[in-house]
């Protein structure tokens, strides 16, 4: 298991950003999965800053979202599409054809899930996946008790996030909101993973993820079994 502990938040953000830049430089056809949330805001911005200062050819790179909220407009400020676009892909000048995101609306999400996997496979699979960590150990929208064999699917999000999105989008209670997400199996098939976690509020779950049993109760614990996963932590998240 590779664990990297950054001294502080700034170092954490910079380290993560350079890992993304390094992957793009080393592999001009890299397929890189991105996650939204508090953890990745600054590191996404730094990727854009580095690129602006040292531009290079990224025409062959694919960026994609690990997950997406369903049944909200794509241009809603809390959709993963809009978040990633404003935080990172616009700054890199990534074209729509190089930016894969799940649809937010569909009559057939099952089909869309299969299509998303086919799209990623057609690009030779995932080279690098940046994952955040839910306080309950979730990965993407894979909530506790999601089977390790799960493939891309639409799941529930946690209640707090769902309540916030419902409020922000004026979505009535009877209309379902969901989370389109790579499954645990897809995550584990990625060639390289960086699990990024910062802040004291993640310290407890970080400890369980790293040193507890591998269990569906804590989806992120499965990463103990991945052959090339780096756990990138800041000091606060590491010292729980
Ligand atoms: C959400 C997202 C995940 C993300 C997680 C962590 O549930 N669906 O992809 O990793 O939150 O968020 P944060 O970084 O805000 O703690």
């Amino acid at each position: 298991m590779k664990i990297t502990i950054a001294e502080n938040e700034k170092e954490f953000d910079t380290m993560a950003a350079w890992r993304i830049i390094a992957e793009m430089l080393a592999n001009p056809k890299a397929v890189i999965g991105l996650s939204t949330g508090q953890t990745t805001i600054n590191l996404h911005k730094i990727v854009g800053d580095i690129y602006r200062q040292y531009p290079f050819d990224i025409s062959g790179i694919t960026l994609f979202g690990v997950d997406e909220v369903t049944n909200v407009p794509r241009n809603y400020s809390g959709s993963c599409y809009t978040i990633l676009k404003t935080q990172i892909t616009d700054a890199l000048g990534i074209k729509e054809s190089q930016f894969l995101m799940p649809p937010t609306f569909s009559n057939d999400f099952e089909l869309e899930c299969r299509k998303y996997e086919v799209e990623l496979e057609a690009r030779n699979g995932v080279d690098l996946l940046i994952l955040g960590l839910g306080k309950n150990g979730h990965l993407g929208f894979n909530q506790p008790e999601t089977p390790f064999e799960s493939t891309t699917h639409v799941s529930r999000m946690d209640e707090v996030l769902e309540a916030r999105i419902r409020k922000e989008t004026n979505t009535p209670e009877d209309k379902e909101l969901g989370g389109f997400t790579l499954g645990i199996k897809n995550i584990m098939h990625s060639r390289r993973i960086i699990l990024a976690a910062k802040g004291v509020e993640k310290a407890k779950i970080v400890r369980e993820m790293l040193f507890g049993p591998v269990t569906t109760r804590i989806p992120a614990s499965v990463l103990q079994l991945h052959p090339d996963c780096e756990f990138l932590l800041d000091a606060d998240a590491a010292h729980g």
Side-chain angles (χ1 to χ4, degrees):
M1 240 181 349
K2 183 174 179 191
I3 301 173
T4 305
I5 302 175
E7 267 182 35
N8 52 46
E9 214 179 325
K10 176 83 189 150
E11 189 179 87
F12 169 94
D13 294 330
T14 310
M15 281 176 143
W18 275 108
R19 278 160 174 69
I20 296 173
I21 294 282
E23 179 67 35
M24 295 197 279
L25 286 170
N27 177 2
K29 292 194 169 154
V31 176
I32 303 174
L34 301 171
S35 293
T36 57
Q38 293 301 319
T39 310
T40 50
I41 297 175
N42 291 339
L43 74 89
H44 287 164
K45 185 181 171 300
I46 295 172
V47 171
D49 292 345
I50 295 170
Y51 180 74
R52 230 183 330 271
Q53 212 177 339
Y54 310 105
F56 58 96
D57 180 14
I58 53 164
S59 57
I61 302 289
T62 297
L63 298 181
F64 73 97
V66 169
D67 53 15
E68 179 57 288
V69 182
T70 62
N71 297 330
V72 298
R74 222 179 196 189
N75 63 4
Y76 155 54
S77 60
S79 79
C80 297
Y81 171 83
T82 296
I83 292 173
L84 291 176
K85 199 167 150 55
T86 50
Q87 287 180 1
I88 181 166
T89 65
D90 277 356
L92 297 175
I94 290 278
K95 292 189 248 127
E96 287 288 310
S97 58
Q98 295 167 257
F99 180 32
L100 302 184
M101 285 303 291
T104 56
F105 289 112
S106 174
N107 295 327
D108 191 348
F109 273 115
E110 178 57 39
L111 178 68
E112 295 296 343
C113 288
R114 303 288 72 81
K115 273 167 63 182
Y116 205 55
E117 291 176 344
V118 168
E119 277 267 22
L120 291 172
E121 272 318 305
R123 292 170 197 237
N124 200 26
V126 178
D127 294 296
L128 173 63
L129 201 54
I130 309 291
L131 291 175
L133 173 67
K135 278 191 217 135
N136 62 358
H138 73 241
L139 293 177
F141 282 120
N142 293 283
Q143 299 297 348
E145 305 307 344
T146 306
F148 287 160
E149 310 80 57
S150 62
T151 53
T152 305
H153 63 285
V154 176
S155 146
R156 297 306 299 253
M157 37 188 146
D158 62 72
E159 284 171 17
V160 179
L161 182 62
E162 179 164 339
R164 200 192 78 210
I165 293 178
R166 208 172 269 291
K167 194 162 162 229
E168 288 176 1
T169 54
N170 292 320
T171 305
E173 287 293 335
D174 58 347
K175 205 172 143 206
E176 195 165 303
L177 290 175
F180 187 117
T181 183
L182 291 193
I184 303 280
K185 189 171 172 184
N186 310 106
I187 288 173
M188 290 301 277
H189 279 182
S190 307
R191 283 186 272 281
R192 185 156 76 97
I193 297 175
I194 295 174
L195 183 288
K198 67 177 174 184
V200 278
E201 68 279 10
K202 297 284 171 73
K204 183 170 173 285
I205 195 68
V206 162
R207 186 159 24 89
E208 289 182 321
M209 164 183 72
L210 292 174
F211 306 116
V214 174
T215 164
T216 53
R217 205 171 42 77
I218 298 177
S221 65
V222 75
L223 297 176
Q224 292 179 29
L225 306 177
H226 192 280
D228 193 357
C229 178
E230 178 183 11
F231 297 89
L232 177 60
L233 313 171
D234 75 346
D236 283 344
H239 296 133

